Amino acid sequence: MDTTYINGVNLGNWLVLEKWMNPALFDGTTAEDEYYLPTQLDPAVYEARIRTHRAEYITERDFATIRSWGLNSVRIPVPYFVFGDRPPFIGCVEELDKAFNWADKYGLSILIDLHTAPMSQNGFDNGGISGVCKWAQLPDEVEFVLTVLERLARRYGRRDALLGIEVINEPNTTASWDNMNVTERYKAVDPELAEGTGPIAFDWLEDFYVAAYHRLREQGGLPQSKAVVFHDGFDLYRWKDFLDDAKGFVNVIFDTHQYLMMAEIVGCPQTVEGYDGFVKGTYAPMIEEMSRRFPVIVGEWCLFNSVGCGVDTHGGQSVLNGEEGAAAETLSPQEKRDLYQGVAKSQLEAWSKGHGHYYWNYKLLTDTVNTPGWIGWDAWDLGRCIAQDWYPVGHR
Amino acid sequence: MDTTYINGVNLGNWLVLEKWMNPALFDGTTAEDEYYLPTQLDPAVYEARIRTHRAEYITERDFATIRSWGLNSVRIPVPYFVFGDRPPFIGCVEELDKAFNWADKYGLSILIDLHTAPMSQNGFDNGGISGVCKWAQLPDEVEFVLTVLERLARRYGRRDALLGIEVINEPNTTASWDNMNVTERYKAVDPELAEGTGPIAFDWLEDFYVAAYHRLREQGGLPQSKAVVFHDGFDLYRWKDFLDDAKGFVNVIFDTHQYLMMAEIVGCPQTVEGYDGFVKGTYAPMIEEMSRRFPVIVGEWCLFNSVGCGVDTHGGQSVLNGEEGAAAETLSPQEKRDLYQGVAKSQLEAWSKGHGHYYWNYKLLTDTVNTPGWIGWDAWDLGRCIAQDWYPVGHR
């Protein structure tokens, strides 16, 4: 495998929508997620919004910018309908094709991340349909996802820029289900559709990963020089011995997502020292230990935390979850800079025990000035972090 | 007046569209300009494209970025239908309101630039309707534009961030008409509508500027601390004595637009030395001399030139004008850097004889990788110029 340390950023909300990052796309609807958006719009209007969004949100210019920040890779979340075979959703291989050409020109690698599955693998808004988590129980849809992976491998497997393919983002397992509190935090619009929603078992997930690996390498023809990436289902230690069982896997990477808001949920104190201590005491040793077993990347993380928001966000909940947000900044610009530079430094040090990281996210359209409740949420936006000297740019 | 040297950038193509900068908005139509776009789209689709574009193209994030580059001002082109009273076009004061709030937060000033007029003041694509230049001949529309200026002054005149209001962008005068070759370069779709198209006389323009000044200051209540900005109609020298005539004008700025592609049209050699010589021999002395009469800004300029494109663009014409563009880069990255750093340096030195400058443009969606013919056109995009070290950033 490529031993280059990954210094990357996610292109989230481009091909997989998240309402909180892009509220205008959801204007005039009550939809909270990608699944319900087309049910509330005229098809031509839906198409116009989606196509305009995709043509504007990420362009050649952004690849030039990312490169200028000294980064070397982008992780691109794609939906299960990437090939356009699941109406009313609109496929996006043309956009992905363009991204590979931009990556070639600007010297970036691409990790394709299958971010959603039909009836969802996690029940999050970003899983496509809030409050529903049933994909793993639907054998036809599991098979469908495997065919998507195969087709991605066939189409992009021999592109120089391809770093690898992540088989499914954030499966919500028995390890994470209770903490994530999905059924409360993301209310299902249609309780009938949500019936049977529940966590994914690790045994099942292991079997799925084995199947996905073979489908990618064999049917998909994914060269061994390209990584197969597995998300850890929110428990990295759980995979300790997974690759030992004479599976013959080559070039596998484990992806773990670590957010300070999740640290807060498990009791990390909401102070600068608290964050620093948690990162050094929990994240760093975990990545160091597991990196002896397999390459580990932190495929999602960011500087966001409750201190920067000026309120306890109860695990990163926003006005969209009924939380209020601060009415005004509680920190001075200098205090914000100190806070974010501090958590950037400690996290980047922790990630350096592994194989690399991707910031979540490159860009947010969230407006902290003209819409109430969003103070502190700009820390999710790497562009704004760099513009405000919160995040260290290696390049200059 | 505020004596701060203006170091700014245009937010072109946000509220006034230009097809070459944003081709996807025009997909599925033959429209070449903003006027014809709604005639070829279902009204709901038109609205969806425009609103999505406006919500994504410029956001809070961009104001943070512009500030991080060490710039202090943005020039925002607005259309004559900014107040939403000219259907089918959609007003945009809400977007402009937001921009003023962002400007407050990030410490930028705003020059509002009325960029179009009904039936156009120049016949350019960016004047709203290609090949038509009749506005100045239509007294009702001249009066309408004066009411727009008044209303802009009333709405934004007391905003801290307001630097000034530019009464009309690039009136195509008898000084520029032949060089601009409008009727050939921008063919009118409807010859009947274009009938009578012709240049604007300076005498007429002087009278209009006098009227606009009074309407802004008196009916509009624009404070004297806010500038009234006049475009020079492509002949800065022509205005030498304009303010001498006991008009009693306070805080007036003249705006001159200087593009290397126009220098090429009047014979500037297409070489690095040629550009440097022209800028030093023609632009710099003009700005120096006229700055003794009134404050001068270069409200539009950029690094773009034919050498960077690898072909003679015949004055900045593109594939949209039937020109071919180079099939491959003719310069190495290092040669490009040398070229653009050179023309940046000489132009910035020339502009420093005056009161400041605004780069055209902050951003382009034009894709030089996936669409043929656009090699070299990324030099119009300040973001890409900075990302590629073509443009010097003062800030870091």
Side-chain angles (χ1 to χ4, degrees):
Chain A
M1 63 173 280
D2 188 348
T3 54
T4 309
Y5 186 76
I6 295 168
N7 189 7
V9 63
N10 282 278
L11 304 186
N13 187 48
W14 181 32
L15 305 177
V16 176
L17 303 182
E18 300 197 27
K19 180 179 179 173
W20 69 284
M21 293 164 72
N22 200 354
L25 270 188
F26 290 78
D27 267 358
T29 77
T30 61
E32 296 292 336
D33 54 43
E34 184 137 33
Y35 183 84
Y36 286 100
L37 186 60
T39 70
Q40 298 192 25
L41 292 172
D42 173 85
V45 168
Y46 172 67
E47 180 173 347
R49 288 192 187 187
I50 296 295
R51 291 204 189 279
T52 305
H53 160 71
R54 289 183 184 163
E56 301 220 358
Y57 191 78
I58 297 292
T59 66
E60 178 186 353
R61 182 179 196 269
D62 299 294
F63 278 64
T65 298
I66 290 165
R67 181 65 193 177
S68 79
W69 291 341
L71 306 187
N72 58 20
S73 193
V74 290
R75 179 172 178 261
I76 304 185
V78 301
Y80 63 85
F81 51 80
V82 53
F83 288 102
D85 51 358
R86 299 293 297 240
F89 305 107
I90 300 169
C92 50
V93 277
E94 283 167 29
E95 286 83 356
L96 204 49
D97 289 349
K98 287 182 189 174
F100 272 92
N101 295 333
W102 296 327
D104 286 343
K105 174 162 178 183
Y106 294 98
L108 298 172
S109 69
I110 292 178
L111 170 57
I112 299 175
D113 150 44
L114 185 61
H115 208 73
T116 65
M119 291 300 111
S120 192
Q121 74 284 15
N122 53 34
F124 308 154
D125 56 342
N126 61 60
I129 176 168
S130 293
V132 176
C133 181
K134 286 169 52 175
W135 161 71
Q137 305 169 38
L138 305 169
D140 288 355
E141 298 295 19
V142 173
E143 172 58 25
F144 175 77
V145 161
L146 291 168
T147 71
V148 171
L149 293 171
E150 250 181 71
R151 285 179 280 169
L152 287 170
R154 269 192 227 114
R155 191 177 184 104
Y156 301 108
R158 292 178 189 279
R159 293 296 303 245
D160 280 345
L162 185 73
L163 183 139
I165 297 176
E166 181 157 358
V167 302
I168 194 73
N169 181 64
E170 295 192 353
N172 200 344
T173 64
T174 46
S176 47
W177 190 257
D178 290 341
N179 273 341
M180 298 294 185
N181 198 15
V182 162
T183 48
E184 281 307 304
R185 185 161 170 172
Y186 304 101
K187 298 270 190 219
V189 169
D190 179 351
E192 214 169 302
L193 196 66
E195 216 179 287
T197 280
I200 293 175
F202 275 102
D203 286 352
W204 186 91
L205 193 57
E206 285 189 9
D207 291 346
F208 174 72
Y209 281 177
V210 171
Y213 182 92
H214 289 293
R215 290 288 278 269
L216 281 168
R217 292 272 186 243
E218 290 149 30
Q219 284 81 354
L222 186 71
Q224 293 191 344
S225 61
K226 309 298 187 183
V228 174
V229 179
F230 298 137
H231 184 271
D232 67 359
F234 302 101
D235 185 357
L236 188 57
Y237 288 112
R238 181 67 182 66
W239 301 92
K240 200 168 178 171
D241 303 318
F242 179 64
L243 300 178
D244 289 349
D245 302 330
K247 290 193 180 68
F249 284 5
V250 175
N251 196 0
V252 164
I253 296 175
F254 270 91
D255 174 18
T256 190
H257 296 176
Q258 300 300 344
Y259 286 112
L260 295 174
M261 64 183 184
M262 299 312 297
E264 292 175 5
I265 287 185
V266 298
C268 167
Q270 298 185 10
T271 61
V272 178
E273 301 71 29
Y275 298 137
D276 191 52
F278 195 93
V279 169
K280 287 187 171 134
T282 304
Y283 291 160
M286 172 182 73
I287 290 168
E288 186 164 23
E289 182 183 345
M290 288 303 101
S291 287
R292 286 184 218 117
R293 319 295 294 220
F294 38 67
V296 176
I297 59 172
V298 180
E300 296 188 16
W301 69 287
C302 71
L303 305 187
F304 175 84
N305 60 69
S306 286
V307 174
C309 294
V311 294
D312 185 345
T313 65
H314 303 110
Q317 297 191 75
S318 72
V319 289
L320 292 183
N321 306 100
E323 299 274 335
E324 277 225 349
E329 294 281 0
T330 56
L331 302 179
S332 70
Q334 183 59 47
E335 286 168 332
K336 279 203 139 174
R337 202 156 35 234
D338 290 346
L339 167 69
Y340 291 129
Q341 285 180 350
V343 296
K345 185 164 181 284
S346 60
Q347 289 182 95
L348 287 167
E349 268 174 27
W351 312 159
S352 75
K353 315 282 184 197
H355 193 62
H357 57 90
Y358 291 94
Y359 199 88
W360 187 279
N361 190 38
Y362 170 63
K363 177 178 185 178
L364 267 76
L365 304 181
T366 314
D367 187 336
T368 73
V369 175
N370 294 293
T371 47
W374 293 104
I375 285 173
W377 291 74
D378 46 357
W380 290 91
D381 179 338
L382 185 57
R384 279 185 265 189
C385 291
I386 287 175
Q388 292 172 96
D389 272 336
W390 299 344
Y391 186 98
V393 172
H395 179 62
R396 46 177 175 194
Chain B
M1 63 172 280
D2 188 347
T3 54
T4 310
Y5 186 76
I6 296 167
N7 189 6
V9 63
N10 282 278
L11 304 186
N13 188 48
W14 184 30
L15 305 178
V16 175
L17 305 180
E18 300 198 24
K19 180 177 178 174
W20 69 283
M21 293 165 72
N22 200 353
L25 271 190
F26 290 79
D27 267 358
T29 77
T30 60
E32 296 292 336
D33 54 46
E34 185 137 32
Y35 183 86
Y36 286 101
L37 185 59
T39 69
Q40 299 193 24
L41 293 172
D42 174 84
V45 168
Y46 172 66
E47 181 174 346
R49 288 191 187 188
I50 295 295
R51 292 205 189 277
T52 306
H53 160 70
R54 289 185 185 161
E56 302 220 0
Y57 191 78
I58 297 292
T59 67
E60 179 186 352
R61 181 180 198 268
D62 299 294
F63 278 64
T65 299
I66 289 166
R67 181 65 193 178
S68 79
W69 291 341
L71 305 188
N72 59 18
S73 194
V74 291
R75 179 174 178 260
I76 305 185
V78 301
Y80 64 86
F81 52 82
V82 54
F83 287 101
D85 53 359
R86 300 293 297 239
F89 304 108
I90 301 169
C92 50
V93 277
E94 282 167 29
E95 286 82 357
L96 204 49
D97 289 350
K98 288 183 188 174
F100 271 91
N101 295 332
W102 296 328
D104 286 343
K105 174 163 178 183
Y106 294 97
L108 298 172
S109 68
I110 293 178
L111 170 58
I112 299 175
D113 149 44
L114 184 62
H115 208 72
T116 65
M119 291 301 109
S120 191
Q121 76 283 17
N122 54 35
F124 307 154
D125 56 344
N126 61 60
I129 177 167
S130 294
V132 176
C133 181
K134 283 169 54 175
W135 163 71
Q137 304 169 36
L138 305 169
D140 288 355
E141 298 295 18
V142 173
E143 173 57 26
F144 175 77
V145 161
L146 290 169
T147 73
V148 171
L149 292 171
E150 250 180 72
R151 284 180 281 170
L152 287 170
R154 270 193 227 115
R155 192 176 184 106
Y156 301 107
R158 292 178 190 278
R159 293 296 304 247
D160 280 346
L162 184 72
L163 184 139
I165 297 177
E166 180 158 358
V167 301
I168 194 72
N169 180 63
E170 296 192 349
N172 201 344
T173 63
T174 45
S176 46
W177 190 258
D178 290 340
N179 272 344
M180 298 295 185
N181 197 14
V182 163
T183 48
E184 279 308 304
R185 187 160 169 173
Y186 304 103
K187 299 269 190 217
V189 169
D190 178 349
E192 213 168 303
L193 195 65
E195 216 179 287
T197 279
I200 292 176
F202 275 101
D203 286 349
W204 185 92
L205 192 58
E206 284 190 12
D207 291 345
F208 175 72
Y209 281 176
V210 170
Y213 182 91
H214 288 294
R215 290 289 277 269
L216 282 167
R217 291 274 186 240
E218 290 149 31
Q219 284 82 354
L222 186 72
Q224 293 192 345
S225 61
K226 308 300 187 182
V228 174
V229 180
F230 297 136
H231 184 272
D232 68 358
F234 302 102
D235 186 356
L236 188 58
Y237 287 113
R238 180 67 182 65
W239 301 92
K240 200 167 179 175
D241 302 318
F242 179 62
L243 299 179
D244 290 348
D245 302 329
K247 290 194 181 68
F249 284 6
V250 174
N251 197 0
V252 163
I253 295 175
F254 270 91
D255 173 17
T256 190
H257 296 175
Q258 299 299 345
Y259 286 111
L260 296 173
M261 66 183 182
M262 299 311 298
E264 292 176 3
I265 287 186
V266 296
C268 166
Q270 298 185 11
T271 62
V272 179
E273 300 71 29
Y275 298 136
D276 191 53
F278 195 92
V279 169
K280 287 188 173 134
T282 303
Y283 292 159
M286 173 181 72
I287 290 169
E288 187 165 23
E289 181 183 346
M290 288 303 102
S291 287
R292 285 186 220 118
R293 319 296 294 221
F294 38 67
V296 175
I297 58 172
V298 180
E300 297 189 15
W301 70 285
C302 71
L303 306 187
F304 175 83
N305 60 68
S306 287
V307 174
C309 294
V311 293
D312 185 344
T313 65
H314 303 110
Q317 297 190 75
S318 74
V319 287
L320 294 183
N321 306 99
E323 299 275 333
E324 279 225 350
E329 294 281 0
T330 55
L331 302 179
S332 71
Q334 184 58 47
E335 286 168 331
K336 278 202 141 175
R337 203 153 38 234
D338 291 344
L339 168 68
Y340 290 129
Q341 285 180 349
V343 295
K345 184 162 183 283
S346 59
Q347 288 182 95
L348 286 168
E349 270 174 24
W351 312 157
S352 76
K353 315 283 183 196
H355 193 62
H357 57 89
Y358 292 94
Y359 199 88
W360 186 279
N361 188 36
Y362 171 63
K363 179 176 183 180
L364 266 77
L365 304 180
T366 314
D367 186 336
T368 73
V369 175
N370 293 293
T371 46
W374 293 104
I375 285 173
W377 290 74
D378 46 357
W380 289 91
D381 179 337
L382 185 58
R384 280 185 261 189
C385 290
I386 287 175
Q388 293 173 94
D389 272 336
W390 298 345
Y391 186 96
V393 172
H395 181 61
R396 48 177 178 198

